[in-house]
Amino acid sequence: MNRLIISTAIFLLPAAAFAETQLERFEALSDQMNTVMIEMFSNEIEQAGGDASALRELDGMMPPWTDEIRTAASCILDDYVAETSAGAVDEMLSEMEEILPTLATMTMTEATDSGALEGLTPQGISNERMMEINSGCGMMDLQIKASQESGFMEAMMAAGSTIPDND
């Protein structure tokens, strides 16, 4: 469950190639990141012998960004820059852009074990600190609320229940 929370937090903070500001880059790939996350979770369920159709039927994990989500994302970026540098955040965004196309073919376990997710936070910020920042800026609560409203949590539970011998 902890891996799910950390991975979701990382992936719900997206990036894009040609936007002007860090916040615009952060927001621009949110729909693609949502799609990638659903694919990765689906791949994980199917690799374990389950049926991921409940997940694959979703349009995404999160709705389009609202002003409230943008405010939380801006807070996160400000904290990242304050604790590292603007260059480190730009590098993180570039790494996210680079890795995004490869992640949809992986499971969450494969992405974690291969180290593919390591570039998704700025150099110098641990996963634990990233979680503290996300929570402190209100993003974690917004993500949980959105994933419940979108049906993601329900679909995840339904798909997970199809895994043989899953207690």
PDB file of all heavy atoms in Angstrom, residues 84-125:
ATOM      1  N   THR A  84      16.145  22.469  -3.122  1.00  0.00           N
ATOM      2  CA  THR A  84      17.177  22.056  -4.085  1.00  0.00           C
ATOM      3  C   THR A  84      17.567  23.275  -4.905  1.00  0.00           C
ATOM      4  O   THR A  84      18.340  24.094  -4.455  1.00  0.00           O
ATOM      5  CB  THR A  84      16.673  20.895  -4.974  1.00  0.00           C
ATOM      6  OG1 THR A  84      15.522  21.309  -5.715  1.00  0.00           O
ATOM      7  CG2 THR A  84      16.341  19.658  -4.151  1.00  0.00           C
ATOM      8  N   SER A  85      17.026  23.372  -6.110  1.00  0.00           N
ATOM      9  CA  SER A  85      17.240  24.534  -6.973  1.00  0.00           C
ATOM     10  C   SER A  85      16.264  24.461  -8.135  1.00  0.00           C
ATOM     11  O   SER A  85      15.690  23.405  -8.403  1.00  0.00           O
ATOM     12  CB  SER A  85      18.676  24.541  -7.526  1.00  0.00           C
ATOM     13  OG  SER A  85      18.858  23.461  -8.440  1.00  0.00           O
ATOM     14  N   ALA A  86      16.109  25.585  -8.824  1.00  0.00           N
ATOM     15  CA  ALA A  86      15.242  25.590 -10.003  1.00  0.00           C
ATOM     16  C   ALA A  86      15.791  24.630 -11.054  1.00  0.00           C
ATOM     17  O   ALA A  86      15.020  23.940 -11.742  1.00  0.00           O
ATOM     18  CB  ALA A  86      15.128  27.003 -10.575  1.00  0.00           C
ATOM     19  N   GLY A  87      17.103  24.553 -11.153  1.00  0.00           N
ATOM     20  CA  GLY A  87      17.729  23.632 -12.108  1.00  0.00           C
ATOM     21  C   GLY A  87      17.426  22.181 -11.788  1.00  0.00           C
ATOM     22  O   GLY A  87      17.190  21.374 -12.693  1.00  0.00           O
ATOM     23  N   ALA A  88      17.420  21.832 -10.501  1.00  0.00           N
ATOM     24  CA  ALA A  88      17.114  20.457 -10.104  1.00  0.00           C
ATOM     25  C   ALA A  88      15.666  20.111 -10.443  1.00  0.00           C
ATOM     26  O   ALA A  88      15.370  18.980 -10.854  1.00  0.00           O
ATOM     27  CB  ALA A  88      17.375  20.263  -8.613  1.00  0.00           C
ATOM     28  N   VAL A  89      14.761  21.075 -10.294  1.00  0.00           N
ATOM     29  CA  VAL A  89      13.357  20.835 -10.633  1.00  0.00           C
ATOM     30  C   VAL A  89      13.209  20.704 -12.142  1.00  0.00           C
ATOM     31  O   VAL A  89      12.502  19.818 -12.630  1.00  0.00           O
ATOM     32  CB  VAL A  89      12.451  21.935 -10.048  1.00  0.00           C
ATOM     33  CG1 VAL A  89      11.017  21.791 -10.547  1.00  0.00           C
ATOM     34  CG2 VAL A  89      12.500  21.903  -8.526  1.00  0.00           C
ATOM     35  N   ASP A  90      13.891  21.558 -12.899  1.00  0.00           N
ATOM     36  CA  ASP A  90      13.856  21.435 -14.360  1.00  0.00           C
ATOM     37  C   ASP A  90      14.388  20.070 -14.804  1.00  0.00           C
ATOM     38  O   ASP A  90      13.836  19.437 -15.708  1.00  0.00           O
ATOM     39  CB  ASP A  90      14.671  22.547 -15.027  1.00  0.00           C
ATOM     40  CG  ASP A  90      13.970  23.888 -14.993  1.00  0.00           C
ATOM     41  OD1 ASP A  90      12.718  23.922 -14.901  1.00  0.00           O
ATOM     42  OD2 ASP A  90      14.677  24.917 -15.055  1.00  0.00           O
ATOM     43  N   GLU A  91      15.451  19.622 -14.168  1.00  0.00           N
ATOM     44  CA  GLU A  91      16.020  18.307 -14.491  1.00  0.00           C
ATOM     45  C   GLU A  91      15.016  17.196 -14.181  1.00  0.00           C
ATOM     46  O   GLU A  91      14.853  16.259 -14.962  1.00  0.00           O
ATOM     47  CB  GLU A  91      17.314  18.083 -13.709  1.00  0.00           C
ATOM     48  CG  GLU A  91      18.023  16.797 -14.078  1.00  0.00           C
ATOM     49  CD  GLU A  91      19.341  16.647 -13.336  1.00  0.00           C
ATOM     50  OE1 GLU A  91      20.080  17.648 -13.208  1.00  0.00           O
ATOM     51  OE2 GLU A  91      19.610  15.523 -12.886  1.00  0.00           O
ATOM     52  N   MET A  92      14.331  17.294 -13.041  1.00  0.00           N
ATOM     53  CA  MET A  92      13.311  16.311 -12.692  1.00  0.00           C
ATOM     54  C   MET A  92      12.218  16.286 -13.756  1.00  0.00           C
ATOM     55  O   MET A  92      11.806  15.211 -14.207  1.00  0.00           O
ATOM     56  CB  MET A  92      12.689  16.644 -11.332  1.00  0.00           C
ATOM     57  CG  MET A  92      11.493  15.758 -10.973  1.00  0.00           C
ATOM     58  SD  MET A  92      10.439  16.426  -9.652  1.00  0.00           S
ATOM     59  CE  MET A  92       9.643  17.812 -10.469  1.00  0.00           C
ATOM     60  N   LEU A  93      11.752  17.463 -14.166  1.00  0.00           N
ATOM     61  CA  LEU A  93      10.697  17.531 -15.170  1.00  0.00           C
ATOM     62  C   LEU A  93      11.165  16.916 -16.492  1.00  0.00           C
ATOM     63  O   LEU A  93      10.419  16.174 -17.139  1.00  0.00           O
ATOM     64  CB  LEU A  93      10.251  18.981 -15.368  1.00  0.00           C
ATOM     65  CG  LEU A  93       9.563  19.624 -14.163  1.00  0.00           C
ATOM     66  CD1 LEU A  93       9.368  21.115 -14.390  1.00  0.00           C
ATOM     67  CD2 LEU A  93       8.264  18.935 -13.831  1.00  0.00           C
ATOM     68  N   SER A  94      12.400  17.187 -16.864  1.00  0.00           N
ATOM     69  CA  SER A  94      12.947  16.605 -18.096  1.00  0.00           C
ATOM     70  C   SER A  94      13.041  15.085 -17.996  1.00  0.00           C
ATOM     71  O   SER A  94      12.745  14.374 -18.960  1.00  0.00           O
ATOM     72  CB  SER A  94      14.326  17.205 -18.402  1.00  0.00           C
ATOM     73  OG  SER A  94      14.201  18.579 -18.696  1.00  0.00           O
ATOM     74  N   GLU A  95      13.463  14.586 -16.853  1.00  0.00           N
ATOM     75  CA  GLU A  95      13.541  13.138 -16.661  1.00  0.00           C
ATOM     76  C   GLU A  95      12.157  12.510 -16.717  1.00  0.00           C
ATOM     77  O   GLU A  95      11.984  11.413 -17.262  1.00  0.00           O
ATOM     78  CB  GLU A  95      14.240  12.804 -15.345  1.00  0.00           C
ATOM     79  CG  GLU A  95      15.735  13.059 -15.415  1.00  0.00           C
ATOM     80  CD  GLU A  95      16.470  12.647 -14.153  1.00  0.00           C
ATOM     81  OE1 GLU A  95      16.120  11.596 -13.569  1.00  0.00           O
ATOM     82  OE2 GLU A  95      17.385  13.378 -13.759  1.00  0.00           O
ATOM     83  N   MET A  96      11.166  13.203 -16.169  1.00  0.00           N
ATOM     84  CA  MET A  96       9.797  12.691 -16.223  1.00  0.00           C
ATOM     85  C   MET A  96       9.329  12.604 -17.672  1.00  0.00           C
ATOM     86  O   MET A  96       8.712  11.620 -18.074  1.00  0.00           O
ATOM     87  CB  MET A  96       8.867  13.594 -15.410  1.00  0.00           C
ATOM     88  CG  MET A  96       9.094  13.497 -13.909  1.00  0.00           C
ATOM     89  SD  MET A  96       8.110  14.699 -12.972  1.00  0.00           S
ATOM     90  CE  MET A  96       6.514  13.871 -13.005  1.00  0.00           C
ATOM     91  N   GLU A  97       9.634  13.629 -18.450  1.00  0.00           N
ATOM     92  CA  GLU A  97       9.259  13.641 -19.864  1.00  0.00           C
ATOM     93  C   GLU A  97       9.921  12.484 -20.611  1.00  0.00           C
ATOM     94  O   GLU A  97       9.303  11.857 -21.465  1.00  0.00           O
ATOM     95  CB  GLU A  97       9.650  14.971 -20.495  1.00  0.00           C
ATOM     96  CG  GLU A  97       8.855  16.134 -19.977  1.00  0.00           C
ATOM     97  CD  GLU A  97       9.486  17.493 -20.254  1.00  0.00           C
ATOM     98  OE1 GLU A  97      10.629  17.552 -20.763  1.00  0.00           O
ATOM     99  OE2 GLU A  97       8.829  18.495 -19.946  1.00  0.00           O
ATOM    100  N   GLU A  98      11.147  12.217 -20.273  1.00  0.00           N
ATOM    101  CA  GLU A  98      11.903  11.159 -20.950  1.00  0.00           C
ATOM    102  C   GLU A  98      11.379   9.770 -20.593  1.00  0.00           C
ATOM    103  O   GLU A  98      11.271   8.901 -21.455  1.00  0.00           O
ATOM    104  CB  GLU A  98      13.379  11.270 -20.572  1.00  0.00           C
ATOM    105  CG  GLU A  98      14.290  10.384 -21.381  1.00  0.00           C
ATOM    106  CD  GLU A  98      15.738  10.639 -21.045  1.00  0.00           C
ATOM    107  OE1 GLU A  98      16.155  11.814 -21.038  1.00  0.00           O
ATOM    108  OE2 GLU A  98      16.451   9.645 -20.792  1.00  0.00           O
ATOM    109  N   ILE A  99      11.064   9.548 -19.348  1.00  0.00           N
ATOM    110  CA  ILE A  99      10.685   8.200 -18.897  1.00  0.00           C
ATOM    111  C   ILE A  99       9.230   7.868 -19.161  1.00  0.00           C
ATOM    112  O   ILE A  99       8.866   6.695 -19.294  1.00  0.00           O
ATOM    113  CB  ILE A  99      11.037   7.975 -17.422  1.00  0.00           C
ATOM    114  CG1 ILE A  99      10.919   6.496 -17.116  1.00  0.00           C
ATOM    115  CG2 ILE A  99      10.139   8.745 -16.511  1.00  0.00           C
ATOM    116  CD1 ILE A  99      11.971   5.952 -16.268  1.00  0.00           C
ATOM    117  N   LEU A 100       8.383   8.852 -19.258  1.00  0.00           N
ATOM    118  CA  LEU A 100       6.944   8.625 -19.420  1.00  0.00           C
ATOM    119  C   LEU A 100       6.602   7.609 -20.507  1.00  0.00           C
ATOM    120  O   LEU A 100       5.839   6.682 -20.252  1.00  0.00           O
ATOM    121  CB  LEU A 100       6.218   9.946 -19.668  1.00  0.00           C
ATOM    122  CG  LEU A 100       4.717   9.843 -19.907  1.00  0.00           C
ATOM    123  CD1 LEU A 100       4.013   9.319 -18.666  1.00  0.00           C
ATOM    124  CD2 LEU A 100       4.167  11.197 -20.303  1.00  0.00           C
ATOM    125  N   PRO A 101       7.155   7.724 -21.696  1.00  0.00           N
ATOM    126  CA  PRO A 101       6.768   6.774 -22.753  1.00  0.00           C
ATOM    127  C   PRO A 101       7.128   5.321 -22.440  1.00  0.00           C
ATOM    128  O   PRO A 101       6.493   4.407 -22.959  1.00  0.00           O
ATOM    129  CB  PRO A 101       7.542   7.257 -23.984  1.00  0.00           C
ATOM    130  CG  PRO A 101       7.865   8.684 -23.701  1.00  0.00           C
ATOM    131  CD  PRO A 101       8.030   8.769 -22.211  1.00  0.00           C
ATOM    132  N   THR A 102       8.102   5.078 -21.600  1.00  0.00           N
ATOM    133  CA  THR A 102       8.532   3.712 -21.315  1.00  0.00           C
ATOM    134  C   THR A 102       7.747   3.067 -20.183  1.00  0.00           C
ATOM    135  O   THR A 102       7.737   1.840 -20.071  1.00  0.00           O
ATOM    136  CB  THR A 102      10.027   3.673 -20.953  1.00  0.00           C
ATOM    137  OG1 THR A 102      10.237   4.366 -19.714  1.00  0.00           O
ATOM    138  CG2 THR A 102      10.878   4.306 -22.036  1.00  0.00           C
ATOM    139  N   LEU A 103       7.108   3.843 -19.361  1.00  0.00           N
ATOM    140  CA  LEU A 103       6.472   3.306 -18.160  1.00  0.00           C
ATOM    141  C   LEU A 103       5.198   2.509 -18.422  1.00  0.00           C
ATOM    142  O   LEU A 103       4.891   1.571 -17.687  1.00  0.00           O
ATOM    143  CB  LEU A 103       6.172   4.422 -17.165  1.00  0.00           C
ATOM    144  CG  LEU A 103       7.380   5.093 -16.532  1.00  0.00           C
ATOM    145  CD1 LEU A 103       6.935   6.239 -15.638  1.00  0.00           C
ATOM    146  CD2 LEU A 103       8.229   4.095 -15.761  1.00  0.00           C
ATOM    147  N   ALA A 104       4.455   2.848 -19.458  1.00  0.00           N
ATOM    148  CA  ALA A 104       3.166   2.195 -19.704  1.00  0.00           C
ATOM    149  C   ALA A 104       3.297   0.703 -19.979  1.00  0.00           C
ATOM    150  O   ALA A 104       2.332  -0.038 -19.817  1.00  0.00           O
ATOM    151  CB  ALA A 104       2.430   2.877 -20.851  1.00  0.00           C
ATOM    152  N   THR A 105       4.471   0.252 -20.353  1.00  0.00           N
ATOM    153  CA  THR A 105       4.667  -1.174 -20.624  1.00  0.00           C
ATOM    154  C   THR A 105       5.113  -1.942 -19.382  1.00  0.00           C
ATOM    155  O   THR A 105       5.216  -3.159 -19.414  1.00  0.00           O
ATOM    156  CB  THR A 105       5.716  -1.377 -21.731  1.00  0.00           C
ATOM    157  OG1 THR A 105       6.970  -0.852 -21.290  1.00  0.00           O
ATOM    158  CG2 THR A 105       5.281  -0.694 -23.023  1.00  0.00           C
ATOM    159  N   MET A 106       5.367  -1.235 -18.289  1.00  0.00           N
ATOM    160  CA  MET A 106       5.878  -1.852 -17.072  1.00  0.00           C
ATOM    161  C   MET A 106       4.775  -2.055 -16.040  1.00  0.00           C
ATOM    162  O   MET A 106       3.723  -1.438 -16.114  1.00  0.00           O
ATOM    163  CB  MET A 106       6.942  -0.955 -16.429  1.00  0.00           C
ATOM    164  CG  MET A 106       8.166  -0.730 -17.229  1.00  0.00           C
ATOM    165  SD  MET A 106       9.304   0.336 -16.259  1.00  0.00           S
ATOM    166  CE  MET A 106      10.651   0.477 -17.400  1.00  0.00           C
ATOM    167  N   THR A 107       5.090  -2.897 -15.056  1.00  0.00           N
ATOM    168  CA  THR A 107       4.261  -2.981 -13.860  1.00  0.00           C
ATOM    169  C   THR A 107       4.856  -1.998 -12.854  1.00  0.00           C
ATOM    170  O   THR A 107       5.983  -1.521 -13.029  1.00  0.00           O
ATOM    171  CB  THR A 107       4.287  -4.398 -13.253  1.00  0.00           C
ATOM    172  OG1 THR A 107       5.611  -4.671 -12.792  1.00  0.00           O
ATOM    173  CG2 THR A 107       3.840  -5.453 -14.255  1.00  0.00           C
ATOM    174  N   MET A 108       4.118  -1.723 -11.794  1.00  0.00           N
ATOM    175  CA  MET A 108       4.659  -0.858 -10.743  1.00  0.00           C
ATOM    176  C   MET A 108       5.905  -1.494 -10.131  1.00  0.00           C
ATOM    177  O   MET A 108       6.888  -0.808  -9.857  1.00  0.00           O
ATOM    178  CB  MET A 108       3.613  -0.615  -9.650  1.00  0.00           C
ATOM    179  CG  MET A 108       2.467   0.267 -10.069  1.00  0.00           C
ATOM    180  SD  MET A 108       2.963   1.898 -10.664  1.00  0.00           S
ATOM    181  CE  MET A 108       3.779   2.545  -9.226  1.00  0.00           C
ATOM    182  N   THR A 109       5.874  -2.807  -9.950  1.00  0.00           N
ATOM    183  CA  THR A 109       7.018  -3.507  -9.374  1.00  0.00           C
ATOM    184  C   THR A 109       8.235  -3.385 -10.275  1.00  0.00           C
ATOM    185  O   THR A 109       9.339  -3.097  -9.802  1.00  0.00           O
ATOM    186  CB  THR A 109       6.665  -4.994  -9.125  1.00  0.00           C
ATOM    187  OG1 THR A 109       5.554  -5.054  -8.228  1.00  0.00           O
ATOM    188  CG2 THR A 109       7.839  -5.748  -8.540  1.00  0.00           C
ATOM    189  N   GLU A 110       8.047  -3.600 -11.573  1.00  0.00           N
ATOM    190  CA  GLU A 110       9.164  -3.490 -12.522  1.00  0.00           C
ATOM    191  C   GLU A 110       9.746  -2.080 -12.520  1.00  0.00           C
ATOM    192  O   GLU A 110      10.963  -1.905 -12.528  1.00  0.00           O
ATOM    193  CB  GLU A 110       8.708  -3.859 -13.938  1.00  0.00           C
ATOM    194  CG  GLU A 110       8.393  -5.315 -14.126  1.00  0.00           C
ATOM    195  CD  GLU A 110       7.661  -5.609 -15.427  1.00  0.00           C
ATOM    196  OE1 GLU A 110       7.082  -4.688 -16.045  1.00  0.00           O
ATOM    197  OE2 GLU A 110       7.659  -6.790 -15.810  1.00  0.00           O
ATOM    198  N   ALA A 111       8.883  -1.080 -12.512  1.00  0.00           N
ATOM    199  CA  ALA A 111       9.351   0.309 -12.523  1.00  0.00           C
ATOM    200  C   ALA A 111      10.126   0.629 -11.251  1.00  0.00           C
ATOM    201  O   ALA A 111      11.159   1.302 -11.296  1.00  0.00           O
ATOM    202  CB  ALA A 111       8.172   1.263 -12.692  1.00  0.00           C
ATOM    203  N   THR A 112       9.651   0.123 -10.129  1.00  0.00           N
ATOM    204  CA  THR A 112      10.328   0.354  -8.857  1.00  0.00           C
ATOM    205  C   THR A 112      11.654  -0.389  -8.807  1.00  0.00           C
ATOM    206  O   THR A 112      12.696   0.197  -8.492  1.00  0.00           O
ATOM    207  CB  THR A 112       9.433  -0.091  -7.675  1.00  0.00           C
ATOM    208  OG1 THR A 112       8.216   0.654  -7.730  1.00  0.00           O
ATOM    209  CG2 THR A 112      10.119   0.160  -6.347  1.00  0.00           C
ATOM    210  N   ASP A 113      11.625  -1.675  -9.148  1.00  0.00           N
ATOM    211  CA  ASP A 113      12.827  -2.505  -9.074  1.00  0.00           C
ATOM    212  C   ASP A 113      13.913  -2.069 -10.059  1.00  0.00           C
ATOM    213  O   ASP A 113      15.099  -2.186  -9.767  1.00  0.00           O
ATOM    214  CB  ASP A 113      12.489  -3.982  -9.298  1.00  0.00           C
ATOM    215  CG  ASP A 113      11.681  -4.582  -8.166  1.00  0.00           C
ATOM    216  OD1 ASP A 113      11.554  -3.938  -7.094  1.00  0.00           O
ATOM    217  OD2 ASP A 113      11.159  -5.703  -8.352  1.00  0.00           O
ATOM    218  N   SER A 114      13.511  -1.554 -11.211  1.00  0.00           N
ATOM    219  CA  SER A 114      14.486  -1.136 -12.224  1.00  0.00           C
ATOM    220  C   SER A 114      15.084   0.237 -11.934  1.00  0.00           C
ATOM    221  O   SER A 114      16.042   0.643 -12.583  1.00  0.00           O
ATOM    222  CB  SER A 114      13.825  -1.108 -13.613  1.00  0.00           C
ATOM    223  OG  SER A 114      12.912  -0.018 -13.707  1.00  0.00           O
ATOM    224  N   GLY A 115      14.501   0.952 -10.988  1.00  0.00           N
ATOM    225  CA  GLY A 115      14.974   2.299 -10.685  1.00  0.00           C
ATOM    226  C   GLY A 115      14.392   3.351 -11.604  1.00  0.00           C
ATOM    227  O   GLY A 115      14.786   4.519 -11.554  1.00  0.00           O
ATOM    228  N   ALA A 116      13.438   2.960 -12.442  1.00  0.00           N
ATOM    229  CA  ALA A 116      12.850   3.892 -13.410  1.00  0.00           C
ATOM    230  C   ALA A 116      12.146   5.069 -12.744  1.00  0.00           C
ATOM    231  O   ALA A 116      12.020   6.136 -13.343  1.00  0.00           O
ATOM    232  CB  ALA A 116      11.866   3.162 -14.319  1.00  0.00           C
ATOM    233  N   LEU A 117      11.734   4.902 -11.503  1.00  0.00           N
ATOM    234  CA  LEU A 117      10.989   5.963 -10.821  1.00  0.00           C
ATOM    235  C   LEU A 117      11.893   6.921 -10.051  1.00  0.00           C
ATOM    236  O   LEU A 117      11.423   7.918  -9.515  1.00  0.00           O
ATOM    237  CB  LEU A 117       9.964   5.346  -9.861  1.00  0.00           C
ATOM    238  CG  LEU A 117       8.967   4.379 -10.485  1.00  0.00           C
ATOM    239  CD1 LEU A 117       8.043   3.815  -9.416  1.00  0.00           C
ATOM    240  CD2 LEU A 117       8.176   5.035 -11.590  1.00  0.00           C
ATOM    241  N   GLU A 118      13.174   6.626  -9.995  1.00  0.00           N
ATOM    242  CA  GLU A 118      14.087   7.416  -9.166  1.00  0.00           C
ATOM    243  C   GLU A 118      14.270   8.854  -9.632  1.00  0.00           C
ATOM    244  O   GLU A 118      14.560   9.727  -8.831  1.00  0.00           O
ATOM    245  CB  GLU A 118      15.431   6.710  -9.055  1.00  0.00           C
ATOM    246  CG  GLU A 118      15.336   5.446  -8.227  1.00  0.00           C
ATOM    247  CD  GLU A 118      16.630   4.669  -8.155  1.00  0.00           C
ATOM    248  OE1 GLU A 118      17.688   5.212  -8.543  1.00  0.00           O
ATOM    249  OE2 GLU A 118      16.577   3.512  -7.714  1.00  0.00           O
ATOM    250  N   GLY A 119      14.096   9.125 -10.912  1.00  0.00           N
ATOM    251  CA  GLY A 119      14.263  10.480 -11.408  1.00  0.00           C
ATOM    252  C   GLY A 119      13.017  11.320 -11.306  1.00  0.00           C
ATOM    253  O   GLY A 119      12.959  12.425 -11.839  1.00  0.00           O
ATOM    254  N   LEU A 120      12.009  10.818 -10.609  1.00  0.00           N
ATOM    255  CA  LEU A 120      10.740  11.519 -10.560  1.00  0.00           C
ATOM    256  C   LEU A 120      10.600  12.462  -9.377  1.00  0.00           C
ATOM    257  O   LEU A 120       9.536  13.008  -9.140  1.00  0.00           O
ATOM    258  CB  LEU A 120       9.590  10.499 -10.587  1.00  0.00           C
ATOM    259  CG  LEU A 120       9.586   9.583 -11.816  1.00  0.00           C
ATOM    260  CD1 LEU A 120       8.406   8.635 -11.770  1.00  0.00           C
ATOM    261  CD2 LEU A 120       9.601  10.368 -13.112  1.00  0.00           C
ATOM    262  N   THR A 121      11.674  12.642  -8.642  1.00  0.00           N
ATOM    263  CA  THR A 121      11.752  13.683  -7.619  1.00  0.00           C
ATOM    264  C   THR A 121      13.068  14.407  -7.845  1.00  0.00           C
ATOM    265  O   THR A 121      14.011  13.836  -8.394  1.00  0.00           O
ATOM    266  CB  THR A 121      11.717  13.097  -6.185  1.00  0.00           C
ATOM    267  OG1 THR A 121      12.752  12.137  -6.049  1.00  0.00           O
ATOM    268  CG2 THR A 121      10.376  12.461  -5.877  1.00  0.00           C
ATOM    269  N   PRO A 122      13.156  15.656  -7.429  1.00  0.00           N
ATOM    270  CA  PRO A 122      14.414  16.372  -7.631  1.00  0.00           C
ATOM    271  C   PRO A 122      15.561  15.714  -6.860  1.00  0.00           C
ATOM    272  O   PRO A 122      15.358  15.177  -5.766  1.00  0.00           O
ATOM    273  CB  PRO A 122      14.141  17.770  -7.067  1.00  0.00           C
ATOM    274  CG  PRO A 122      12.672  17.891  -7.013  1.00  0.00           C
ATOM    275  CD  PRO A 122      12.136  16.501  -6.823  1.00  0.00           C
ATOM    276  N   GLN A 123      16.736  15.755  -7.445  1.00  0.00           N
ATOM    277  CA  GLN A 123      17.929  15.248  -6.779  1.00  0.00           C
ATOM    278  C   GLN A 123      18.054  15.925  -5.416  1.00  0.00           C
ATOM    279  O   GLN A 123      17.963  17.135  -5.314  1.00  0.00           O
ATOM    280  CB  GLN A 123      19.164  15.555  -7.639  1.00  0.00           C
ATOM    281  CG  GLN A 123      20.396  14.823  -7.241  1.00  0.00           C
ATOM    282  CD  GLN A 123      20.337  13.352  -7.630  1.00  0.00           C
ATOM    283  OE1 GLN A 123      19.448  12.901  -8.316  1.00  0.00           O
ATOM    284  NE2 GLN A 123      21.298  12.603  -7.166  1.00  0.00           N
ATOM    285  N   GLY A 124      18.212  15.109  -4.374  1.00  0.00           N
ATOM    286  CA  GLY A 124      18.364  15.667  -3.039  1.00  0.00           C
ATOM    287  C   GLY A 124      17.103  15.629  -2.196  1.00  0.00           C
ATOM    288  O   GLY A 124      17.143  15.979  -1.025  1.00  0.00           O
ATOM    289  N   ILE A 125      15.985  15.224  -2.784  1.00  0.00           N
ATOM    290  CA  ILE A 125      14.744  15.098  -2.022  1.00  0.00           C
ATOM    291  C   ILE A 125      14.367  13.625  -1.993  1.00  0.00           C
ATOM    292  O   ILE A 125      14.150  13.006  -3.029  1.00  0.00           O
ATOM    293  CB  ILE A 125      13.607  15.955  -2.615  1.00  0.00           C
ATOM    294  CG1 ILE A 125      13.956  17.437  -2.474  1.00  0.00           C
ATOM    295  CG2 ILE A 125      12.270  15.633  -1.931  1.00  0.00           C
ATOM    296  CD1 ILE A 125      12.891  18.391  -2.934  1.00  0.00           C
TER     297      ILE A 125
END
